[in-house]
Amino acid sequence: MNAVISIFKKEIKGFFYSPLAYVISAVILALGGYFFSVTLFTTRIADISGVFMNLAVILIFAAPALTMKLLAGEEQDGTMEFLLTSPITVPQLIIGKYLAALGFFLFITALTFIYPGILLTLSTPDKGVILATYLGFFLLVAAYLSIGILCSSFTKSQVIASISGFGILLLLWISSWLSDSISGPLGSFFKTLSISEHYMDFLRGVIDTTHIVYFMSIILVSLILSMYSVSSRVWS
Amino acid sequence: MIELFNVTKKYGNKTAINNISLFVRSGEVLGLLGPNGAGKSTTMRIIAGYLLPTSGSVKVAGFDVVKEPVTAKRYIGYLPENPPLYKDMTVYDYINFAAELRGLKGKDKAHHVNRVIEEVGISDVKKRLIGHLSRGYRQRVGLAQALVANPQVLILDEPTVGLDPQQIIEIRQLIQELSGKRTVILSSHILPEVSSLCHRVAIINKGNLIVENTPQNLGKSLMGHQEIVLQIKGPQDKICTTLESLSGIKNITVSKVLKENLCEYTVQSELDKDIRESLFYAMSEGNFPILEMKSSFMSLEEIFLELVTEEPTAASQKEAN
Ligand SMILES: Nc1ncnc2c1ncn2[C@@H]1O[C@H](COP(=O)(O)OP(=O)(O)O)[C@@H](O)[C@H]1O
Ligand SMILES: [Mg+2]
């Protein structure tokens, strides 16, 4: 537990000191604010689902950019040897890093509270929908980051880590499109696999356990695969 | 303290180290000597738990590094060949992080961090970013990281490589001070370094452990005899006959004629016989003053070359360059 906290502290400090993390946060918030005000002024409907749909797409790019350094960077700098010869376990390492990325995103998410905040002062939006939206957004980001970490564990190139993460997330996002053109069990498989399919319900205010299970499974599988991927360096 | 039993490591089908058994007693400083690509780093990485051996086993402080890695690693401070440093961290933060990973907390942690910073001489740069430090300082930070939890076992992979001569002297001095009661394995391809710092030397080449002994014994056993070089005043033929009459002498040569009646003699004797005393009395009996007498051991340099150099083929020449 102590090792997890130490790694968490080091990484979260790394995020808050890193210019890249601020640039990414600024882009997310600026685009989010833009979508928010456009929907607000054009439709005059007190609704944040549009913003959070757009944020989910932006994060397909942003999440891997934030996680790319977490393992690939250590490998590149030769510091993985330092970590793996310390008296800690690989699961502690991965979980510490994952929680730090999640922590930094919670900070960004907290900044998005402006949008519902403005709505609440202007009108009376459905609070249940807002809560469901945030739960969905949290799960979505948590899943994105776990895939980002997994991609960062395969390589020592941060560029490859971020691009492959971006590719995988994009494929998962659009795999529901395939289900439109493919019928039968394969089509429904792609639909089940699709992130957007599971995310959308939250934006409508629906909290369905299958969606929660879906996101939790992605997180679990990605983190376990990351642990194997890092350990395999020792086994090789 | 450190035990390797028949350790073999293969990368794919390339054997990096082959069936190495090695034991380092508590408090001993062992030098791992070998040319580039001999398998020194691989051996050290296996002991430090960064690589698993393909076969064989390794114990540190009695704990198997494969079966109980976390416990074994608590006893080890490890400085890899390239010091693993975070360039965008300050020296203090990095040492502090290393201390936390080794399970130190609170006051105890602060004490150890400050102690090690003092010990390796980096107090004046502790607030600086590691990326801005010179190589010599970086090497010290690397050492501090390895030493912060006061480990009983220290593994140093080519600790002086890439430093300038002044820094090399300083780091060697530091290592000498740090060895103290610790068990140390140190690798190097520089021979004088090993002979000055280590109690025992293990020479490896192409993954095989060739020989292992004290630097002095290595010299003796390789030559197969002892050698004494003397300057003696007196008529050459009489001195030679007196020398020949001593027991245990294998060979006498007049290596230099310095003046009339003053020559340098090289006397070879059997390994287990110390002939210096009887030699002295024999000469004084004959009234031949000994002006100089010294034992000549084969230097580690010569031993190393003898052991490691084979008939150089064109291919291995190329590899060496
Ligand atoms: N990760 C690796 N993959 C494949 N071969 C390797 C790897 N690391 C080292 N080797 C090979 O193993 C041999 C021993 O290397 P090493 O232990 O680094 O030697 P040294 O430290 O004595 O220079 C060399 O021939 C090297 O090319
Ligand atoms: Mg090496």
Side-chain angles (χ1 to χ4, degrees):
Chain A
M1 196 59 216
N2 281 315
V4 174
I5 294 171
S6 310
I7 288 162
F8 174 84
K9 277 197 304 190
K10 179 220 154 211
E11 293 300 344
I12 199 115
K13 214 168 159 183
F15 280 127
F16 280 105
Y17 277 107
S18 133
L20 180 66
Y22 282 107
V23 170
I24 294 170
S25 322
V27 169
I28 293 171
L29 291 175
L31 287 173
Y34 171 74
F35 292 127
F36 175 70
S37 38
V38 166
T39 24
L40 192 62
F41 291 123
T42 53
T43 66
R44 303 200 165 268
I45 299 170
D47 177 25
I48 54 165
S49 67
V51 180
F52 278 88
M53 200 62 198
N54 284 311
L55 282 179
V57 175
I58 298 167
L59 282 169
I60 288 177
F61 302 85
L66 269 172
T67 52
M68 64 183 183
K69 68 162 189 180
L70 286 177
L71 295 166
E74 302 274 6
E75 194 66 35
Q76 197 170 28
D77 295 346
T79 43
M80 193 61 105
E81 191 163 1
F82 160 73
L83 294 172
L84 293 183
T85 53
S86 299
I88 62 167
T89 62
V90 171
Q92 286 173 328
L93 177 70
I94 302 287
I95 290 168
K97 286 184 174 264
Y98 177 65
L99 291 180
L102 206 54
F104 186 71
F105 256 108
L106 282 182
F107 158 75
I108 298 177
T109 308
L111 297 179
T112 67
F113 288 162
I114 316 171
Y115 314 140
I118 290 171
L119 289 189
L120 282 166
T121 57
L122 294 180
S123 72
T124 51
D126 187 334
K127 293 201 187 72
V129 173
I130 293 179
L131 284 180
T133 299
Y134 269 102
L135 176 64
F137 185 63
F138 174 75
L139 287 169
L140 174 96
V141 167
Y144 280 8
L145 294 175
S146 69
I147 289 173
I149 288 225
L150 176 61
C151 292
S152 182
S153 76
F154 290 136
T155 166
K156 65 174 171 188
S157 154
Q158 299 192 35
V159 175
I160 293 175
S162 64
I163 290 177
S164 61
F166 153 65
I168 290 176
L169 290 178
L170 195 64
L171 280 176
L172 284 175
W173 184 262
I174 62 174
S175 82
S176 62
W177 299 0
L178 283 174
S179 64
D180 297 339
S181 46
I182 304 171
S183 56
L186 195 63
S188 62
F189 169 75
F190 281 123
K191 196 162 178 165
T192 319
L193 208 61
S194 167
I195 294 182
S196 46
E197 206 62 34
H198 293 277
Y199 180 55
M200 235 88 92
D201 269 351
F202 288 101
L203 300 188
R204 289 185 214 111
V206 180
I207 298 176
D208 186 335
T209 44
T210 51
H211 300 324
I212 297 178
V213 168
Y214 167 82
F215 283 116
M216 296 303 262
S217 315
I218 287 196
I219 296 167
L220 215 62
V221 169
S222 302
L223 291 184
I224 290 173
L225 287 179
S226 308
M227 290 168 196
Y228 272 103
S229 159
V230 169
S231 308
S232 70
R233 242 155 286 187
V234 177
W235 300 334
S236 71
Chain B
M1 202 64 182
I2 304 170
E3 302 158 279
L4 279 77
F5 304 94
N6 307 322
V7 175
T8 295
K9 175 74 195 175
K10 291 183 178 165
Y11 295 108
N13 51 18
K14 184 183 185 320
T15 306
I17 59 172
N18 182 23
N19 205 27
I20 288 190
S21 293
L22 204 57
F23 304 93
V24 191
R25 280 185 295 277
S26 183
E28 193 173 37
V29 180
L30 176 86
L32 213 53
L33 191 61
N36 283 326
K40 304 182 294 292
S41 297
T42 302
T43 309
M44 300 184 119
R45 285 175 155 180
I46 288 172
I47 300 169
Y50 183 62
L51 284 178
L52 293 193
T54 309
S55 65
S57 69
V58 180
K59 282 183 177 179
V60 173
F63 298 99
D64 190 306
V65 299
V66 177
K67 293 184 188 128
E68 297 174 87
V70 175
T71 317
K73 284 170 189 172
R74 280 192 211 290
Y75 289 87
I76 304 174
Y78 171 49
L79 176 62
E81 196 163 0
N82 300 306
L85 305 172
Y86 296 100
K87 295 191 181 65
D88 50 1
M89 260 175 140
T90 66
V91 171
Y92 187 91
D93 283 350
Y94 174 53
I95 304 303
N96 191 57
F97 177 52
E100 285 183 1
L101 289 186
R102 284 171 174 76
L104 296 172
K105 284 189 281 252
K107 277 207 184 112
D108 196 32
K109 179 181 75 179
H111 163 75
H112 276 294
V113 170
N114 290 320
R115 172 193 55 82
V116 82
I117 283 178
E118 204 59 47
E119 220 167 55
V120 305
I122 50 175
S123 320
D124 46 338
V125 296
K126 69 179 175 192
K127 299 230 171 70
R128 299 253 299 268
L129 289 181
I130 294 172
H132 295 165
L133 299 180
S134 68
R135 275 224 56 145
Y137 269 118
R138 286 189 196 188
Q139 198 68 11
R140 282 165 189 266
V141 175
L143 274 172
Q145 157 279 123
L147 285 161
V148 68
N150 210 355
Q152 292 178 29
V153 173
L154 202 51
I155 301 175
L156 308 173
D157 195 355
E158 306 224 16
T160 59
V161 83
L163 301 179
D164 67 37
Q166 180 60 34
Q167 292 167 337
I168 289 178
I169 292 170
E170 288 171 9
I171 292 286
R172 276 188 200 158
Q173 247 165 19
L174 192 56
I175 292 170
Q176 198 126 41
E177 290 161 20
L178 296 171
S179 322
K181 292 201 176 67
R182 292 192 176 95
T183 310
V184 183
I185 291 196
L186 171 127
S187 78
S188 181
H189 61 269
I190 307 164
L191 310 149
E193 180 162 289
V194 168
S195 56
S196 71
L197 290 171
C198 303
H199 303 138
R200 236 161 21 106
V201 184
I203 297 182
I204 58 175
N205 188 35
K206 297 188 180 153
N208 293 296
L209 179 63
I210 297 179
V211 66
E212 185 221 325
N213 213 323
T214 61
Q216 295 79 11
N217 282 345
L218 274 182
K220 278 194 208 160
S221 63
L222 263 170
M223 287 198 290
H225 52 75
Q226 298 185 65
E227 217 171 72
I228 299 175
V229 181
L230 302 131
Q231 283 181 21
I232 307 173
K233 209 165 159 183
Q236 200 178 310
D237 50 342
K238 281 191 183 158
I239 291 175
C240 283
T241 35
T242 321
L243 285 172
E244 273 158 19
S245 69
L246 293 168
S247 75
I249 301 271
K250 283 169 99 177
N251 188 24
I252 299 160
T253 43
V254 179
S255 38
K256 261 184 221 157
V257 180
L258 296 161
K259 277 185 199 152
E260 203 197 336
N261 267 358
L262 178 61
C263 296
E264 189 183 276
Y265 303 83
T266 302
V267 179
Q268 296 179 347
S269 66
E270 280 157 24
L271 247 188
D272 46 355
K273 275 219 172 94
D274 190 347
I275 57 154
R276 287 174 299 182
E277 260 180 58
S278 56
L279 200 149
F280 168 82
Y281 288 121
M283 288 302 129
S284 79
E285 208 166 278
N287 263 331
F288 308 128
I290 299 175
L291 301 185
E292 203 182 298
M293 159 147 66
K294 62 184 180 214
S295 299
S296 121
F297 287 113
M298 213 171 173
S299 74
L300 260 185
E301 198 102 25
E302 292 164 299
I303 298 167
F304 185 64
L305 289 175
E306 180 122 326
L307 287 174
V308 168
T309 325
E310 294 165 11
E311 291 298 305
T313 61
S316 71
Q317 278 285 38
K318 224 179 234 168
E319 210 175 334
N321 296 328

